[in-house]
Amino acid sequence: MYKSPRGTSDILPKEQAYWRYVEEKAAAICQLFGYQRIDTPAFEETSVFARSIGQGTDVVDKEMYTFNDHSGTSMTLLPEGTAPVCRAYIEHGMYNQQQPVRLFYFASIFRYEKPQSGRYRQHRQFGFEAMGDADPALDAEVIGMSWQFYSSIGLRDLHLQLNSIGCRLCRPSYVESLKQYYSEYRDDLCTDCKTRLKRNPLRLLDCKKPSCLEIARSAPRSTDHLCASCSEHFNLLQKYLDILEIPFELNHCLVRGLDYYTRTVFEIQPEEEGMQSALGGGGRYDNLIEELGGKPAPAVGFAAGMERIIMNMKRQSIAVPPLPEPKVYVAYTGEQARAEAVRLATLLRGFGISATTAMGHRSLKAQMKQANTSHVSYTLIVGEDELRKSTVVLRDMVRGEQLEISLGEVATHLQRLTWEEP
Ligand code: AMP
């Protein structure tokens, strides 16, 4: 028997109420802050990611789903959502619009990771990007928006972690001091970190192995190496977050897994778990648009993992409204009545009343059982006798009452009843 590929899953109908709820809340927040939706393709030329995310990151080195298409061009399924939005910003000349350009997206993300709870090979992200402005107030807006998004869903006990990793000017000297510090611990580092020390020292702070975490704890802090302008930016951001009354914790080990970040980085964690469980994160990427071939345009963004959000909603027993189910079930007895049932269901849908019809040759009893499990409000029973009189039986499934109405009145009658429903 076939199964969905390892690290992927089917989102079955019974799960869809959560997805719809979270997506609606996400879109509502974006509307509230004036962000417009963008949809980009599910794959891009590989270099869009290789140039932006960076060599030496786990994502580029080990996790991308890359393939040559039939013309021999190397393509990659989205391993993250920011670079494609930047590519679109450049391609469509959005730098000519009023800045910042505020966009949001939903995208399926593909990473060849070791599957475990909350970590999949395909997951869905909701993200937003504000491009074309360096103001720390924009960082505060993006962080505030993500904070408001989680609270609008009802998630509690979240922690916002914040750091600044500097810019092109001040980062090199910081990385140098990191290298010096870590060189003394070379023998104690895990194999991956030994490579990181050579290829991408900032990533050393990201390692989740307990022994490496211990070494990271006393490592030099990026915030002690910021240039005057990055330092002012970070101070202002913290001031704005205080004004917005958003509580945050400074975490000097927070560097995020992608190389394009500059200055602000942040992550949102649930209370009970460690670093593997981030519900979302983001930061500033002031050089990315330029690195992808655009005019320099500073920007900041955020992305959240939908599966983890839903997992945490369930953990916190957050209920969501059920999805609407069909209002009317049309049952019938006999061949002639079957044709009339099909016609009636179509007629009702034309009036905007959702309807489903019985199929095949089930007994009326079996059809009524189906109507019950479908949770419909009303059942229409089309019988041969009633057809002769041009009537139909309407059963109120909640009250258990039934009455006979003329065929010509069915739609208006039901329309009145469904309007009256709360
Ligand atoms: P990232 O771009 O890695 O910061 O991812 C943004 C968010 O997506 C994370 O905070 C997680 O909530 C979620 N996420 C990242 N990777 C995965 C994964 N492999 N499976 C499920 N969710 C993920």
Side-chain angles (χ1 to χ4, degrees):
M1 191 177 63
Y2 288 120
K3 287 185 166 178
S4 71
R6 197 163 128 74
T8 71
S9 52
D10 303 308
I11 305 168
L12 297 173
K14 66 179 168 45
E15 288 293 305
Q16 294 290 343
Y18 283 98
W19 286 81
R20 162 105 157 248
Y21 183 76
V22 177
E23 280 171 8
E24 279 179 3
K25 290 286 179 195
I29 287 291
C30 290
Q31 209 234 321
L32 201 60
F33 281 75
Y35 284 61
Q36 293 181 306
R37 178 158 176 161
I38 183 166
D39 288 287
T40 63
F43 58 92
E44 296 275 346
E45 282 189 38
T46 300
S47 55
V48 168
F49 303 114
R51 277 173 73 178
S52 57
I53 299 173
Q55 305 291 338
T57 57
D58 282 354
V59 173
V60 168
D61 286 359
K62 307 182 202 157
E63 297 173 358
M64 295 207 303
Y65 280 85
T66 298
F67 58 97
N68 281 345
D69 70 9
H70 291 289
S71 73
T73 310
S74 179
M75 297 289 184
T76 296
L77 299 182
L78 257 61
E80 63 99 40
T82 300
V85 174
C86 292
R87 195 264 308 134
Y89 174 90
I90 301 164
E91 181 177 340
H92 303 286
M94 291 189 216
Y95 44 82
N96 291 321
Q97 298 173 12
Q98 186 172 298
Q99 308 292 302
V101 171
R102 295 175 164 98
L103 299 172
F104 77 96
Y105 62 85
F106 294 100
S108 291
I109 301 297
F110 305 86
R111 294 180 189 169
Y112 190 81
E113 301 203 71
K114 201 170 148 215
Q116 49 188 284
S117 165
R119 189 164 290 281
Y120 313 106
R121 290 186 175 165
Q122 177 180 346
H123 71 278
R124 193 120 174 106
Q125 285 188 3
F126 155 55
F128 43 86
E129 317 287 346
M131 296 176 290
D133 206 305
D135 193 332
L138 197 57
D139 305 47
E141 174 179 295
V142 164
I143 294 175
M145 198 167 147
S146 61
W147 196 248
Q148 196 167 334
F149 163 60
Y150 293 113
S151 67
S152 76
I153 296 169
L155 282 170
R156 300 174 302 274
D157 305 326
L158 301 184
H159 293 260
L160 168 63
Q161 304 200 330
L162 187 68
N163 196 15
S164 173
I165 53 171
C167 66
R168 282 204 272 230
L169 288 180
C170 52
R171 186 151 348 133
S173 77
Y174 171 57
V175 170
E176 206 41 56
S177 68
L178 258 189
K179 265 195 209 156
Q180 265 176 23
Y181 169 82
Y182 271 95
S183 302
E184 289 174 27
Y185 295 95
R186 195 186 312 256
D187 295 341
D188 307 322
L189 296 174
C190 71
T191 327
D192 281 345
C193 278
K194 285 193 176 106
T195 316
R196 287 181 185 126
L197 183 55
K198 277 194 223 127
R199 292 189 65 192
N200 198 339
L202 207 58
R203 295 267 83 72
L204 287 160
L205 296 169
D206 227 8
C207 185
K208 308 295 183 294
K209 305 235 167 56
S211 55
C212 296
L213 274 174
E214 194 52 44
I215 299 171
R217 203 161 294 162
S218 312
R221 302 179 170 209
S222 54
T223 43
D224 294 333
H225 290 76
L226 297 180
C227 60
S229 139
C230 285
S231 182
E232 191 197 353
H233 191 277
F234 196 43
N235 287 338
L236 278 171
L237 167 60
Q238 293 177 66
K239 190 176 126 192
Y240 295 144
L241 290 177
D242 285 339
I243 293 170
L244 296 176
E245 295 183 9
I246 297 174
F248 59 88
E249 297 151 23
L250 295 179
N251 175 357
H252 78 274
C253 289
L254 182 67
V255 289
R256 313 262 305 125
L258 316 171
D259 266 1
Y260 53 63
Y261 287 109
T262 51
R263 294 186 163 174
T264 313
V265 285
F266 69 98
E267 232 164 51
I268 287 153
Q269 301 277 352
E271 179 121 304
E272 59 267 43
E273 294 197 36
M275 301 288 275
Q276 294 279 3
S277 61
L279 288 180
R284 196 160 255 294
Y285 48 93
D286 288 342
N287 308 321
L288 177 54
I289 292 173
E290 189 183 356
E291 277 160 14
L292 287 173
K295 289 187 189 160
V300 54
F302 161 83
M306 302 280 284
E307 286 81 356
R308 288 195 198 167
I309 289 175
I310 292 170
M311 235 166 78
N312 277 272
M313 288 170 74
K314 290 181 181 168
R315 203 174 281 162
Q316 297 190 3
S317 306
I318 297 172
V320 296
L323 290 179
E325 289 180 283
K327 278 265 170 270
V328 181
Y329 182 91
V330 190
Y332 55 83
T333 53
E335 199 50 42
Q336 223 187 327
R338 175 147 78 146
E340 184 55 23
V342 171
R343 190 194 70 82
L344 267 179
T346 310
L347 177 87
L348 292 180
R349 292 180 202 123
F351 277 78
I353 302 166
S354 53
T356 173
T357 332
M359 291 287 150
H361 299 280
R362 289 185 174 81
S363 68
L364 188 59
K365 195 172 161 203
Q367 292 182 54
M368 293 311 286
K369 212 168 150 191
Q370 270 200 336
N372 256 322
T373 43
S374 312
H375 303 120
V376 290
S377 308
Y378 303 96
T379 299
L380 281 177
I381 306 160
V382 191
E384 308 266 283
D385 287 349
E386 285 83 8
L387 257 193
R388 260 177 247 122
K389 294 185 277 172
S390 288
T391 62
V392 68
V393 173
L394 172 68
R395 183 175 175 83
D396 183 323
M397 302 298 282
V398 181
R399 296 205 175 104
E401 295 163 359
Q402 32 185 81
L403 80 159
E404 203 168 322
I405 51 176
S406 86
L407 267 178
E409 285 173 9
V410 169
T412 44
H413 193 91
L414 272 167
Q415 210 172 29
R416 201 166 48 244
L417 286 175
T418 46
W419 275 347
E420 281 163 10
E421 274 182 19

